[in-house]
Amino acid sequence: MTPLAGLILRILSLVMLYVFLGTAIWLLWRAVSTKEATAGRLSIPTISLVSDEDGIREELTFNSQEVTIGRSPECDFTLSNHTVSARHGRLNFHLNQWWYEDLKSTNGSFLQGMRIEEPIVIKDGDEIAFGDVYVSVFIKAIEKNK
């Protein structure tokens, strides 16, 4: 093979390598940007919390991804009972499900009579006890467009 033919083959190989790498990077970028756009449109099902504290019924509905529960006025859902910690627990929409996590509260959180010690999936109709206060959870399923 002549030196000129070797040089041409090297240049062609280099051009093909750059075309391959450019195409691979472009396809990866397109896949990631499409996934981010889809994640931005993720619909969060509404969650309603209903408490009946000392005969006073309170019901709030949330559309956010995270809901904090506790005695502190900074919490999204406040419970004024002395057995409820300032920041008692948190509801979080993750992996297409609602999860409840106890935030190391003093009197604990209970689901169906069992103490919640690690994040747990919450379903529609569950009742969570925060100290002496019981809160019913209602999740409205997302209606899909036809």
Side-chain angles (χ1 to χ4, degrees), residues 83-85 87-89 100 102-109 115 131:
T83 62
V84 178
S85 296
R87 285 184 39 88
H88 201 99
Y100 175 76
D102 185 86
L103 299 175
K104 298 184 171 84
S105 62
T106 304
N107 293 317
S109 302
R115 188 179 187 105

Side-chain angles (χ1 to χ4, degrees), residues 50-58 79 132-136:
V50 180
S51 69
D52 192 359
E53 225 182 319
D54 299 325
I56 301 171
R57 179 183 164 92
E58 181 178 5
L79 301 167
D132 292 339
V133 180
Y134 289 86
V135 175
S136 299

Side-chain angles (χ1 to χ4, degrees), residues 68-108:
T68 55
I69 302 164
R71 199 175 61 240
S72 169
E74 296 171 0
C75 290
D76 300 313
F77 191 74
T78 56
L79 301 167
S80 58
N81 190 290
H82 70 282
T83 62
V84 178
S85 296
R87 285 184 39 88
H88 201 99
R90 171 179 42 226
L91 287 162
N92 191 355
F93 189 72
H94 178 66
L95 297 174
N96 215 23
Q97 300 179 82
W98 277 103
W99 293 74
Y100 175 76
E101 176 184 9
D102 185 86
L103 299 175
K104 298 184 171 84
S105 62
T106 304
N107 293 317

Side-chain angles (χ1 to χ4, degrees), residues 41-43 141-146:
R41 289 178 284 172
L42 177 67
S43 296
I142 300 171
E143 296 177 15
K144 295 185 180 182
N145 294 338
K146 295 180 182 178

Side-chain angles (χ1 to χ4, degrees), residues 2-79:
T2 66
L4 182 61
L7 180 63
I8 291 173
L9 283 176
R10 283 188 204 162
I11 291 172
L12 282 175
S13 298
L14 193 60
V15 167
M16 288 176 50
L17 178 66
Y18 279 116
V19 167
F20 172 77
L21 288 174
T23 303
I25 290 171
W26 178 74
L27 288 172
L28 285 171
W29 175 80
R30 195 174 78 172
V32 168
S33 65
T34 302
K35 188 178 280 188
E36 286 175 357
T38 305
R41 289 178 284 172
L42 177 67
S43 296
I44 298 173
T46 59
I47 187 165
S48 296
L49 302 177
V50 180
S51 69
D52 192 359
E53 225 182 319
D54 299 325
I56 301 171
R57 179 183 164 92
E58 181 178 5
E59 178 176 353
L60 290 175
T61 302
F62 301 95
N63 290 336
S64 57
Q65 187 172 357
E66 184 176 292
V67 178
T68 55
I69 302 164
R71 199 175 61 240
S72 169
E74 296 171 0
C75 290
D76 300 313
F77 191 74
T78 56
L79 301 167

